[in-house]
């Protein structure tokens, strides 16, 4: 493996597309995870009947192996037996023979892998954010309420800023994990259709292992390193700057 | 300015439990410094939190400035509260903390700055505005919490043991300052403490609480000199009132009213008691003498006397001395109900 591996990789349109996909996949899923986890944590931090059961349900995707979950999703989204399409057809929302091909059309396929990956990442992030919320002393939001702050001001000016360091950690782990993971994509689309959902790890795998071009596969995966270092550095810096408590 | 009134205010945290607050009727006066005093767990904080709107009453009414506030949120009640922990916002600077209540009221930035500066200067923390709470000492934090509370000129001030996190020396000066400060701004204040010295020193009136119920409301002199039941009698004063049983009543007298007979004027009607001294504590300004009464109505009961260190008399241990209490200083309590009753003759 030498320099020519890198130059050939950089000129390869499949690589450039995978690089872009990796960013789209990571950023989109992490934004969804962040928003989703905060909403879930917000619901779960209050006592309500059935809260234990709800917490159990939400933790389920985390406990179950990704591969099994993704296979379940593959069946749900499958072109022939899609459960979603079956429901949509029965509700007369789409026609039987022009039902969306969730994993067969580039945009839909990307959307599907992002959503399934979000589903998989959500529990971990929710648990971390829930812990962060629980760690805020109760009298601080109470003081804010007496000071005249409504729900949104309490949340966006007091509670979320206080949780920033912990949210940063959640995002850092999420980004690193997502950027280097290919399970969901491997099972759902294998990078297809036409490499439109190919990300760097899956491309490295297909090129290096299945395509037997180990050098080029390694060159692709080495591109992950500086990106991950940059992300880690950014996150640690912002966590340090927040310096809460 | 506003007065607070509670009617039959009760809080049960769990069904079938004794209440944390039981049937409290309270009325503050305009501009008054009202102190809630009671041992730990007597329901002071719960009562204060219900007034602030942070805890929902199980039953009863709360009125602030003539308005029934039971269904109003804390925000709508427009009061200020200082928490025991101070509850400063750790991610905001001192200025950010003080400005927060004004921001929540959507006050324009210029006016906000001006007010925050005014409150900070009033409390002498003007030079700390750029610091974060964790860079402050305990006393400075307490001032920031106070500044945050007064900055919007509330009609009612609630303080929950604001001095309990300060060390003893600072506490005394902070107490004095807080008292002066309240007189200056004249805001009706409800102040929670378990420290009777604080209560006596600061309160216009003191509300003595025990097990969620109000036992007595009165000026510091009222509750100290004329306790309405044995709980108040025993809770106030250190050492507490001597409470002795005789002839079907409980008789109380304060240690400082229990003198060597010779120290009392000859024409004063007194109850003479033979007092066998056991041991003495020398506390600098005063001496506390512990012993046992012999003969008479209280034979064998323990008693405590407290006298100034300037008193020359010495009391050898295990010797019986002639002591006496002026009749006017004896308080009588019903043996069953433990409430005050008429004075009566002792056998
Ligand atoms: N959130 C709560 N849940 C259950 N019990 C509580 C709660 N808050 C207070 N209590 C109980 O209510 C009683 C009064 O407590 P509190 O008002 O904090 O007393 P104080 O402030 O006088 O020390 C105590 O017995 C306490 O254990
Ligand atoms: Mg308390």
């Amino acid at each position: 493996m030498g320099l020519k591996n890198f130059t050939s990789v950089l000129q390869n349109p499949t690589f450039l597309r995978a690089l872009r996909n990796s960013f789209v996949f990571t950023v989109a899923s992490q934004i969804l995870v962040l928003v989703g986890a905060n909403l879930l944590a917000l619901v779960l931090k209050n006592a309500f009947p059935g809260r234990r059961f709800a917490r159990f349900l939400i933790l389920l995707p985390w406990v179950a192996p990704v591969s099994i979950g993704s296979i379940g999703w593959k069946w749900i989204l499958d072109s022939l037996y899609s459960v979603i399409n079956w429901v949509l057809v029965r509700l007369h929302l789409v026609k039987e023979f022009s039902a969306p091909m969730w994993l067969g059309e580039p945009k839909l396929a990307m959307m599907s892998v992002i959503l399934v990956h979000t589903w998989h990442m959500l529990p971990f992030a929710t648990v971390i954010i829930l812990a962060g919320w629980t760690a805020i002393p109760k009298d601080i939001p109470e003081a804010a309420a007496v000071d005249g702050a409504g729900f949104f001001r309490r949340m966006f000016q007091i509670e979320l800023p206080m949780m920033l360091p912990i949210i940063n950690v959640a995002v850092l782990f999420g980004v690193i994990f997502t950027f280097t993971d290919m399970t969901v994509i491997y099972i759902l689309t294998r990078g297809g259709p036409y490499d439109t959902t190919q990300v760097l790890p899956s491309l490295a795998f297909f090129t290096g292992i299945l395509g037997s071009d180990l050098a080029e596969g390694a060159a692709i995966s080495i591109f992950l390193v500086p990106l991950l270092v940059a992300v880690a550095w950014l996150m640690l810096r912002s966590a340090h700057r927040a310096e809460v408590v | 300015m506003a007065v607070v009134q509670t009617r039959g205010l009760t809080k049960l945290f769990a069904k079938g439990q004794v209440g944390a607050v039981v049937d409290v009727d309270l009325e503050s006066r305009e501009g008054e410094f009202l102190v809630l005093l009671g041992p730990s767990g007597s329901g002071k904080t719960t009562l204060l939190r219900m007034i602030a709107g942070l805890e929902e009453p199980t039953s009863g009414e709360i009125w602030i400035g003539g308005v029934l506030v039971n269904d109003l949120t804390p925000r709508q009640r427009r009061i200020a509260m200082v928490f025991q922990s101070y509850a400063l916002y750790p991610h905001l600077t001192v200025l950010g903390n003080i400005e927060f209540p004004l921001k929540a009221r959507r006050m324009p930035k210029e006016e906000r700055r001006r007010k925050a500066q005014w409150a900070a200067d009033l409390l002498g923390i003007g030079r700390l505005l750029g610091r974060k709470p964790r860079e402050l000492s305990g006393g400075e934090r307490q001032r920031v919490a106070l500044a945050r509370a007064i900055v919007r000129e509330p009609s009612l001030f609630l303080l929950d043991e604001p001095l309990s996190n300060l060390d003893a020396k600072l506490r005394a000066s902070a107490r004095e300052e807080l008292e002066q400060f309240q007189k200056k701004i004249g805001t009706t204040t409800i102040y929670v403490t378990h420290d009777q010295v604080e209560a006596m020193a600061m309160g216009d009136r003191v509300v003595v609480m025990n097990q969620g119920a109000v036992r007595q409301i009165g000026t510091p002199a009222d509750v100290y000199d004329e306790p309405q039941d044995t709980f108040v009698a025993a809770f106030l004063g250190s050492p507490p009132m001597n409470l002795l049983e005789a002839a079907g009543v409980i008789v109380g007298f304060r240690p400082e009213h229990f003198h060597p007979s010779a120290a009392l004027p000859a024409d004063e009607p007194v109850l003479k008691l033979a007092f066998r001294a056991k041991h003495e504590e020398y506390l600098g300004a005063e001496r506390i003498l512990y012993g046992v009464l012999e003969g008479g109505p209280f034979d064998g009961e323990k008693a405590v006397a407290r006298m100034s260190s300037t008193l020359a008399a010495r009391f050898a241990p295990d010797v019986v001395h002639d002591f006496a209490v002026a009749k006017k200083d004896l308080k009588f309590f019903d043996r069953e109900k433990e409430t005050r009753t008429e004075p009566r003759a002792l056998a």
Side-chain angles (χ1 to χ4, degrees), chain B residues 26-318:
Chain B
L26 205 64
E27 188 169 353
S28 77
R29 295 178 190 149
E30 201 66 53
E32 177 180 45
F33 198 117
L34 187 67
V35 176
L36 303 183
L37 172 67
S40 175
S42 57
K44 310 176 296 289
T45 297
T46 306
L47 177 52
L48 204 68
R49 288 170 57 84
M50 285 195 283
I51 295 172
L54 295 171
E55 208 81 69
E56 195 173 341
T58 308
S59 62
E61 295 178 350
I62 303 165
W63 295 74
I64 298 176
V67 179
L68 181 65
V69 299
N70 279 46
D71 295 327
L72 298 187
T73 60
R75 174 185 160 87
Q76 291 166 322
R77 296 187 191 196
R78 297 184 161 262
I79 52 188
M81 179 159 172
V82 175
F83 290 70
Q84 185 169 0
S85 62
Y86 306 143
L88 298 180
Y89 310 127
H91 60 295
L92 299 180
T93 59
V94 169
L95 179 65
N97 268 275
I98 299 176
E99 275 190 337
F100 187 80
L102 305 179
K103 251 181 165 168
R105 301 258 136 86
R106 303 214 163 76
M107 186 181 279
K109 191 168 177 175
E110 301 241 315
E111 201 181 342
R112 226 159 64 199
R113 279 289 134 85
R114 205 163 40 73
K115 285 254 175 161
Q117 192 69 49
W118 162 79
D121 288 342
L122 202 59
L123 284 147
I125 47 171
R127 70 204 159 76
L128 303 176
L129 290 179
R131 297 229 199 133
K132 290 276 181 70
R134 78 189 124 77
E135 298 164 337
L136 302 176
S137 71
E140 289 165 343
R141 284 179 201 189
Q142 186 236 351
R143 283 149 190 271
V144 175
L146 279 176
R148 186 175 72 183
I150 59 153
V151 71
R152 69 201 126 124
E153 301 172 60
S155 56
L156 176 65
F157 236 161
L158 306 177
L159 297 106
D160 191 357
E161 312 216 12
L163 305 183
S164 63
N165 287 329
L166 304 181
D167 57 60
K169 197 155 187 182
L170 193 54
R171 188 151 45 191
S173 65
R175 183 176 80 207
E176 161 90 43
E177 252 174 48
L178 192 56
E179 203 185 335
Q180 296 304 321
F181 178 71
Q182 195 267 346
K183 294 281 172 291
K184 189 154 75 183
I185 60 170
T187 306
T188 308
T189 300
I190 301 185
Y191 183 101
V192 162
T193 183
H194 66 268
D195 180 339
Q196 48 170 306
V197 179
E198 250 171 52
M200 304 290 284
M202 302 172 89
D204 290 326
R205 284 190 305 156
V206 178
V207 179
V208 185
M209 292 185 66
N210 186 36
Q211 296 180 344
V214 170
R215 306 304 283 266
Q216 187 171 354
I217 306 179
T219 62
D222 281 343
V223 291
Y224 189 79
D225 295 334
E226 303 298 339
Q228 289 307 302
D229 62 23
T230 53
F231 172 79
V232 178
F235 185 67
L236 289 171
S238 140
M241 185 179 267
N242 292 300
L243 291 172
L244 311 167
E245 215 181 303
V249 284
I250 297 171
V251 181
F253 54 89
R254 295 237 170 247
E256 62 267 30
H257 293 146
F258 189 37
H259 305 283
S261 298
L264 283 160
D267 56 352
E268 178 81 49
V270 297
L271 174 68
K272 283 188 184 295
L273 295 165
F275 185 47
R276 182 180 289 277
K278 288 290 181 194
H279 80 276
E280 187 177 303
E281 281 172 358
Y282 176 76
L283 300 179
E286 61 190 26
R287 290 146 62 192
I288 314 283
L289 188 61
Y290 297 85
V292 179
L293 299 172
E294 291 195 351
F298 313 117
D299 187 33
E301 296 220 50
K302 287 183 181 160
V304 182
R306 173 177 165 185
M307 59 213 109
S308 166
S309 295
T310 55
L311 194 76
R314 289 287 166 268
F315 305 98
D318 257 331

Side-chain angles (χ1 to χ4, degrees), chain A residues 131-145:
Chain A
W133 232 316
T134 321
I136 296 179
K138 178 166 78 78
D139 49 7
I140 287 184
E142 283 180 350

